[in-house]
Every structure is written in C-alpha cells, then in structure tokens.
Amino acid sequence: MASVASKNMWLRRQQCPCGDWKCYVTYEGDAEETSIVSQIVKTESHQSQDMVAPYVGMVFKTDDDAFEYYGNFARKNGFSIRKERSRLSPQLGIYKRDFVCYRSGFAPARKKLSGEHHRDRKSVRCGCDAKMYLSKEVIDGVSQWFVVQFSNVHNHELLEDDQVRLLPAYRKINEADQERILLLSKAGFPIHRIVKVLELEKGIQGGQLPFLERDVRNFVQNRKKVVQENDALLNEKRENDTMELLEACKATKEADQDFVYDFTVDQNDKVENIAWSYGVAVNSYALFGDVVYFDTTYRSITYDMLFGAWFGIDNNGQPIFFGCVLLQDETLRSFAWAIQTLIRFMKGRCPQTILSDLDPRLRDAITSELPSTKHVTSIWNILPKVSSWFSLQLGSQYADFKSEFDALYRLESTEGFELRWNQMVSIFGLGSDKHITLLYSLRTSWVLSYVRVHFLARMATTAYSKSVDAFLKGIFGVQSCLRGFFEQVGIAANLQNERHQEIQCQYMHMKTCLPIEEHSRQILTPFAFNSLQQELIVSMQYAASEMANGSYVVRHFRKIDGESLVIWIPEDEQIHCSCKEFESSGILCRHALRVFIDKNYFQLPEKYFLSRWRRESSLMFYDDHSVQDKDDEWFQEFQSLTETLFAESSITKERSDYIRRELTKELTRLLNEIRDMPENDGAPMDFTLTPTD
C-alpha cells in the first residue's frame, strides 16, 4: 500500500484554460496506480459517509428518483454522474437507463481543419467504469425501476468536499441568485464585481460560492442571447399581430360605418399605436361625456403595450365604454396622441372633468391637450400606491397612518386638511419622504375638499371603480392574440350596452311620501332617484337655522358631522351648500333639501334636475351642434309624452314590463318605416340637445 506521501504525487491540479485552477482536475499515472489511489481515498475519506450505496436489486419508483439518489451518493463520495444511454421499446417506452461517472469513456479525437488553431484541452474523461444500470419492470400494472448493475470502482482520484462542489454538475445558480445577477448586470456591474457583491451579501469568503465566476459570465451571456432571440421573435409576432388587428379594424369599419379607428406608424412604417371606438359609444359620449375616466392599469407582457380605456357613467350609474387605445410606450407624445384621438372620435367634444392615474407624463398630456378640462386623480388609483409606499417603511405604525390618511381625504375643509396633513407628516416622521411630497403637491387633484368643486357625476366612488374593474377583467380574462383581444373588447362593449337597456325601467318605491320625492320619481332615473331619496330621508335628521342674511346653518341633531352653510337666493330660486355635493354629483344634498322642505317646496326647481340624470336622456336626439329651437312645439309635446309615459309605467312592475316590451316593438316598427322613406326631401330637420345643463 502506498503511503500518504507517495499517493499525493499522483495528484496534479491543472489550471483550466479559463484561468481558474478549480474548474477540473487531471491526473498522471497508469490505470493500476490510479486505481490504488482511488481505493486509498475512498477508504480514508468517503466510506465514512452514512448514505447507503446503491446495490443490485435496489428499487425506485421512477428513473428520475434513481438518478437523484445516485447523484446525491456521488456528491458525498467525491464525484458526479451523467446519463449515458437509454433503451426504448414500443410496449414499455424507455425501459433501460445507464448512469455513469462523469469521467466515464474517452473524449473523441477532434479533427482540425487546415489553417485552424485550437488549444489542446485535456479531457477529464479517463475511462472510469463506475456506473449504475437500471431496468424497468411492470408488476401488477405498476412500473418500477431495479438496479441491475452497480460498480463504485474508480480509476481516478475522488475529490474532497471543497473540490467536488466545483464540478460542473453541482455548480448551479439558483433562481434567487439568477435574479440578483441579472439585476446587477443591468445596472452595469462587471462580472467580477457581481461575484464580490454576492459574496458580501451572503457573508462568505471569496471562492465559497456554489458556482464560479465563469458560470456567472456564461449565465449572463446566455441570458442576453436568449433575450435577444426572444425579442426578435416577439417583435416579429407583435408586427404580425398588430397588422392583423389593423385588418380587423378595417373589416369592422366596412361592416359598420359608425365604427371609428386610427393608428400611427413609426419611422420604419411599423404600426405603433392603435385606437378604436364604436358608434354606440360615440352616441353615449354625446349624452354622458361630461366626465371621463382614463384607465391605464393594464399592460400586455407579450406585446409590451399599454392598454388605455376611456369610460364614462350613464344616467343609471353604470360605466360606459367610450373607446380604447394600445400604446407602444408611455411617453408624453403617446398620451397626447391618445387624448387627441378620443376627442376626434367624439366629434370635438371635450369633457368637463377627466379622472386618471398619477402618471406625470399623462398629467402633462392632459394639461396640454385639454386645457379647459378639470383634472382629478381618482382615489382608487392612489390607495394601492399608498400601501406600497408606506406599509414597509412605517411597519406597525402603518395602520394608524392609513386611518389618519383616510380621514384627511374625507375632510370638507381645505384649511382643516392643511393643518392635519402637517400634523400627520410630523407625527410619522415623513417630512423628507418623496412620496409624501408628491401627494401634497398634487393635493388639489385628489383630496375631496379640493376636488368636490369639480363635476364628477359620482364616478369617484368605490362602487364605480369595482364596476370598471369587472368590465376590464372580463376583457383580460381571456388570453388571446391582438385580434382575439379586439373581438373580446367588442363583445364586452355589447354586453355592457345590453345591461344598460335592461335597467332602464325599474320600479321605484316611495319611502317618505313627501311631494318632493313623488315629483323627483317622475323625472329621475332609478339610480339618480335613489341617490336623492337617500339624501331626502337623512335630511329629516337635520335642523336648519335661518341667519339674519337669509342663509341657513344646517346641523345634524346628534352633531355627528360638522355644520353646513346653505345660501338661499329667493329671486332666482338658487341654493348653494358648503358641502358642494350638487356641484360634484348633480344631486342635491341633505342640507339643501332640508331648506327646501322648511320653505314648503312641494317640487324642486327644474334647474336641479340635470339632463344627464333624467329618464328621457337616453331618448333625446343629438348631433354635432348645440341646442336648436328648444321651444319647438313638437319637441315640447314629445318630451311631455315621454315623461308621462315613464312616470306611469314605473308605478308597478307589470306596467314597467309591458311598456318595455311594447315600446321596443313600436320603436322598431317606426325605425323600419323611416328607413324606407327618402333620405332627402329638401327640408332637413334637426333635433339636438346638449347632454348637460
């Protein structure tokens, strides 16, 4: 038996061509001497391991289980393994597996072409005969794998623990490290610095990572190559699918002249942005385009395109889909084009108010393209950001912060907001926080006390945001190509329109028996009437105290909220409340209603029934112009008849169902008749109304 001194002379660590001596190890000496070294090392260093060596007859459920077991055994014993051969049969599929030592066999001789120069790299393969052969048998319908041959005799040195971990089979980069490496690489870190950062983060010494610097370099290079290949495929797919979407728009336009679409191309004549809308949406915008919400919460991972959707709210409180746009990027230029396109689709009509996200580029585009439109940031777009910005930073204090933040949002007084905001910032130590600074700088666009002076038509509510989310989830719930996505948008828009028709006629119950309630029921839609009705009911709990100047201070009898100042101008029957509810929603507040009741009003003045909340809004005729001949006798008669019809039909469900059925038939008949009439008799008539008061 050779001594320890003599056995060491056979071991030579050879530097790898990559420059790292730890990459692999080669040995000198004949097969007999190498076998002796193998036995010495195995006896002295590895047989002490408590893992059971594979043996003939050992059973595994699958060949993967067997490979994993043999791989773990190999690592504990200073070598690695690889899959060599498998045999296949029509009956059993793969029924034999051969697993061998990583140094099994010999490297094939490389043929050099004339003029080529290659470095001679000595192969690690030395004809080692260590192996484990498996065979599959089916017993009682269950497949099992049996070890039929096993040899653990190596003709090379087995490695110590600190060396075996560096064999290629064990140098794996886990997912967490992969993400960290890619992040550092994108930040511009060179490979050697990436390795150093990982060592420092893990608190280990240099060279103790489970992988080498060259593994990191190979991983980064391969990933870049994969990304480039994927980007090329994605660009090709995006171009093809975008052209298909454009063809779908063209085909829809040919079938429906009311359908509208537009697109832009880049400097390479590639389709860049696409927007589209439907005829029914354009007509709905004429009625209810006073307030618009631009949703930009969805982005396509496959196509890397931003999806923007335009929504409004109808006279029944339901979201209306006005149109949508697919943008290649989120630049000021793209957002400006999207806004310009919507206004062009909607025949030049700009909304009174627009709601959107916090995106600064979108804000700049709105300011530029809609200078006369009030811009409001919806609270449901802010709250998720508040959670992500402050929950981790404040920790256990976040719940108290969130409670105070919610209270600040609902304050009616801007002075009260300013005072309590500064107190909140001081208490939670957020004076230098950039997000707090951003929110405060934009306070006039999202804090209730500031935005309630803008007309929002009850769109800044949780119920409305949930309805919009439900619509969007219906679109994105189906994964498909862009053409399929286009079709899904059309389906969702049609279903939404059908839903609006279903809720046009609903029976509305009286709850107070006040003449104001009865009169309002004859005029307002169920949604608007229910909103006014709730305010009317609650107004009974308030007392109005007249002041010397004719104004009123209105307080709850339990003082559960602050007092409101109601200014009454009898000459014009004008009423203004400090809560600004009517200015914000178009529905009179409880405070104003309290004053009207005290003044013995049996009917509210007509000016407080906005046309957008009236039942007949959906039956009015609109075109591109302002009101023409509003006092026309025919129109007055038509308006009176329709108002009476809906009032009478809403008294019972039987009446409502009957009028809905018969009116649909009659309107369809009339429509068919007028379509058969000549289109031009030399005397055009124009019936138009504006959608808002």
Side-chain angles (χ1 to χ4, degrees):
M1 182 71 66
S3 65
V4 175
S6 64
K7 78 172 183 186
N8 285 336
M9 59 184 294
W10 305 112
L11 175 63
R12 183 169 69 89
R13 292 180 177 87
Q14 177 173 302
Q15 188 179 37
C16 174
C18 76
D20 195 326
W21 65 271
K22 296 180 180 178
C23 285
Y24 60 81
V25 181
T26 56
Y27 307 93
E28 294 179 346
D30 57 29
E32 181 180 358
E33 292 169 332
T34 317
S35 177
I36 294 174
V37 172
S38 170
Q39 296 301 321
I40 294 173
V41 174
K42 182 174 68 173
T43 302
E44 295 181 356
S45 303
H46 300 282
Q47 284 188 339
S48 61
Q49 303 290 344
D50 56 1
M51 185 175 186
V52 177
Y55 55 87
V56 175
M58 197 173 189
V59 182
F60 297 95
K61 290 183 179 180
T62 66
D63 55 337
D64 288 335
D65 290 345
F67 186 77
E68 181 181 0
Y69 187 90
Y70 190 24
N72 291 335
F73 172 81
R75 180 159 189 168
K76 288 179 178 295
N77 287 271
F79 66 102
S80 65
I81 62 171
R82 70 172 189 271
K83 296 177 181 178
E84 189 174 54
R85 292 184 301 174
S86 61
R87 272 139 292 191
L88 184 70
S89 76
Q91 295 78 18
L92 297 176
I94 296 177
Y95 70 98
K96 286 189 180 297
R97 282 283 196 191
D98 293 352
F99 305 143
V100 298
C101 173
Y102 78 111
R103 302 196 66 182
S104 174
F106 297 94
R110 297 183 62 182
K111 294 182 179 180
K112 293 184 180 180
L113 298 177
S114 60
E116 288 189 345
H117 299 281
H118 295 284
R119 288 180 295 179
D120 291 326
R121 299 181 180 180
K122 193 170 183 180
S123 173
V124 297
R125 297 193 182 187
C126 60
C128 180
D129 195 42
K131 61 194 174 188
M132 184 174 81
Y133 293 170
L134 297 164
S135 179
K136 181 169 73 173
E137 295 183 16
V138 180
I139 302 175
D140 296 331
V142 178
S143 298
Q144 291 182 325
W145 290 82
F146 292 84
V147 177
V148 294
Q149 287 189 54
F150 176 71
S151 171
N152 198 34
V153 178
H154 300 264
N155 63 354
H156 56 88
E157 181 88 25
L158 299 181
L159 305 178
E160 300 294 339
D161 290 341
D162 64 336
Q163 299 170 0
V164 73
R165 69 182 181 85
L166 298 174
L167 290 174
Y170 306 128
R171 298 203 310 265
K172 303 297 183 183
I173 305 177
N174 60 44
E175 291 186 6
D177 287 338
Q178 288 181 10
E179 293 179 3
R180 188 65 174 149
I181 290 169
L182 290 176
L183 182 64
L184 294 171
S185 178
K186 289 179 181 179
F189 280 64
I191 300 300
H192 70 279
R193 285 192 176 275
I194 293 176
V195 172
K196 187 63 177 178
V197 169
L198 293 176
E199 290 172 345
L200 291 173
E201 290 178 343
K202 296 176 182 295
I204 60 177
Q205 296 180 354
Q208 294 303 307
L209 289 171
F211 44 83
L212 305 175
E213 183 176 313
R214 76 162 187 165
D215 297 322
V216 176
R217 180 176 292 103
N218 290 338
F219 168 72
V220 171
Q221 291 175 348
N222 290 337
R223 183 56 62 94
K224 286 181 178 178
K225 182 179 179 181
V226 170
V227 170
Q228 291 172 352
E229 292 174 350
N230 289 343
D231 284 347
L233 292 173
L234 180 60
N235 288 334
E236 182 179 358
K237 176 177 175 58
R238 181 188 300 158
E239 291 176 11
N240 293 337
D241 284 5
T242 304
M243 291 305 299
E244 286 188 4
L245 172 59
L246 194 58
E247 290 299 324
C249 288
K250 292 178 181 178
T252 305
K253 180 66 176 179
E254 292 175 359
D256 179 9
Q257 289 302 311
D258 292 330
F259 176 81
V260 288
Y261 75 100
D262 197 3
F263 63 96
T264 63
V265 295
D266 59 20
Q267 62 270 22
N268 299 317
D269 288 333
K270 305 292 185 183
V271 176
E272 191 177 29
N273 305 314
I274 302 180
W276 68 91
S277 184
Y278 304 90
V280 65
V282 175
N283 294 332
S284 296
Y285 187 93
L287 285 164
F288 308 113
D290 43 10
V291 186
V292 171
Y293 169 53
F294 188 32
D295 185 281
T296 54
T297 56
Y298 285 85
R299 167 173 284 280
S300 170
I301 297 176
T302 304
Y303 300 97
D304 193 28
M305 299 180 77
L306 179 73
F307 176 75
W310 304 94
F311 292 96
I313 187 170
D314 70 1
N315 55 355
N316 286 294
Q318 298 297 309
I320 313 173
F321 177 76
F322 287 147
C324 61
V325 62
L326 284 169
L327 302 175
Q328 290 284 1
D329 53 44
E330 300 172 48
T331 61
L332 173 62
R333 172 177 166 272
S334 294
F335 282 133
W337 178 84
I339 296 170
Q340 293 167 3
T341 303
L342 172 78
I343 302 305
R344 188 165 60 254
F345 285 172
M346 303 308 163
K347 303 177 181 179
R349 296 186 178 95
C350 297
Q352 295 180 28
T353 311
I354 184 170
L355 293 87
S356 75
D357 198 353
L358 280 170
D359 191 302
R361 290 155 298 191
L362 177 55
R363 293 182 61 85
D364 291 342
I366 291 173
T367 302
S368 172
E369 303 302 324
L370 301 172
S372 61
T373 298
K374 305 300 182 183
H375 185 198
V376 174
T377 303
S378 53
I379 189 62
W380 62 79
N381 285 135
I382 289 179
L383 291 180
K385 292 180 173 60
V386 169
S387 176
S388 63
W389 288 343
F390 302 111
S391 58
L392 184 62
Q393 178 180 351
L394 295 176
S396 59
Q397 290 184 299
Y398 176 72
D400 294 335
F401 167 81
K402 181 62 166 55
S403 177
E404 180 65 13
F405 184 88
D406 292 342
L408 279 170
Y409 166 72
R410 294 184 176 86
L411 285 178
E412 293 186 2
S413 166
T414 56
E415 294 80 7
F417 170 82
E418 297 288 343
L419 176 62
R420 286 185 59 176
W421 178 270
N422 291 330
Q423 292 174 347
M424 179 191 72
V425 171
S426 176
I427 291 172
F428 294 99
L430 298 172
S432 60
D433 186 89
K434 64 179 181 180
H435 299 124
I436 281 290
T437 302
L438 174 65
L439 289 173
Y440 183 74
S441 67
L442 300 176
R443 63 192 181 283
T444 57
S445 71
W446 66 270
V447 178
L448 202 57
S449 56
Y450 286 100
V451 303
R452 67 184 343 130
V453 297
H454 307 319
F455 186 61
L456 300 175
R458 299 218 162 186
M459 282 174 60
T461 63
T462 303
Y464 181 80
S465 68
K466 288 182 178 179
S467 298
V468 170
D469 285 343
F471 178 88
L472 293 174
K473 287 177 180 177
I475 295 175
F476 293 99
V478 180
Q479 300 296 325
S480 61
C481 61
L482 285 180
R483 187 185 186 105
F485 173 76
F486 170 79
E487 295 170 353
Q488 190 63 30
V489 171
I491 292 172
N494 288 333
L495 290 175
Q496 185 189 59
N497 189 46
E498 292 175 6
R499 169 61 181 160
H500 293 166
Q501 295 176 1
E502 291 176 1
I503 62 177
Q504 282 294 328
C505 297
Q506 293 181 3
Y507 179 68
M508 296 176 287
H509 297 275
M510 295 281 290
K511 294 183 179 180
T512 69
C513 296
L514 290 171
I516 287 178
E517 183 185 21
E518 174 62 33
H519 178 240
S520 301
R521 186 175 70 163
Q522 297 174 15
I523 299 174
L524 299 175
T525 64
F527 170 78
F529 173 73
N530 288 335
S531 299
L532 181 69
Q533 187 182 57
Q534 290 303 314
E535 293 296 312
L536 199 58
I537 293 171
V538 179
S539 71
M540 303 301 179
Q541 301 177 11
Y542 285 76
S545 303
E546 187 172 5
M547 301 171 65
N549 61 0
S551 300
Y552 289 81
V553 175
V554 182
R555 300 183 182 90
H556 191 272
F557 81 101
R558 288 180 180 172
K559 299 181 180 180
I560 60 174
D561 54 13
E563 61 185 31
S564 296
L565 176 65
V566 178
I567 299 174
W568 169 248
I569 304 174
E571 295 80 10
D572 300 324
E573 289 189 316
Q574 289 188 35
I575 197 163
H576 303 278
C577 181
S578 59
C579 77
K580 304 294 184 183
E581 177 61 32
F582 183 76
E583 288 81 356
S584 175
S585 69
I587 304 293
L588 281 173
C589 65
R590 60 197 65 178
H591 316 109
L593 290 170
R594 177 73 262 171
V595 173
F596 274 123
I597 293 171
D598 284 3
K599 288 191 168 294
N600 298 320
Y601 267 72
F602 299 126
Q603 295 183 358
L604 296 175
E606 283 292 310
K607 68 179 67 177
Y608 295 110
F609 295 112
L610 296 188
S611 62
R612 71 144 19 257
W613 295 130
R614 291 173 178 258
R615 292 189 186 192
E616 67 269 19
S617 293
S618 57
L619 297 178
M620 292 180 181
F621 296 93
Y622 288 79
D623 72 0
D624 297 336
H625 307 289
S626 302
V627 178
Q628 294 184 0
D629 200 10
K630 194 170 183 178
D631 295 326
D632 182 86
E633 182 179 349
W634 180 90
F635 181 77
Q636 294 292 336
E637 181 182 358
F638 171 79
Q639 185 178 29
S640 176
L641 285 172
T642 55
E643 183 176 324
T644 304
L645 176 65
F646 278 98
E648 292 293 332
S649 66
S650 66
I651 295 176
T652 66
K653 187 177 186 303
E654 182 181 4
R655 289 187 179 188
S656 175
D657 292 343
Y658 174 79
I659 198 62
R660 177 185 173 187
R661 182 174 61 253
E662 295 301 320
L663 186 59
T664 301
K665 292 179 183 177
E666 191 63 21
L667 288 175
T668 302
R669 182 186 66 78
L670 290 172
L671 181 61
N672 291 333
E673 286 186 3
I674 63 172
R675 282 176 173 169
D676 293 335
M677 297 172 66
E679 294 185 3
N680 188 0
D681 59 2
M685 297 187 68
D686 191 5
F687 302 100
T688 60
L689 288 176
T690 54
T692 57
D693 288 334

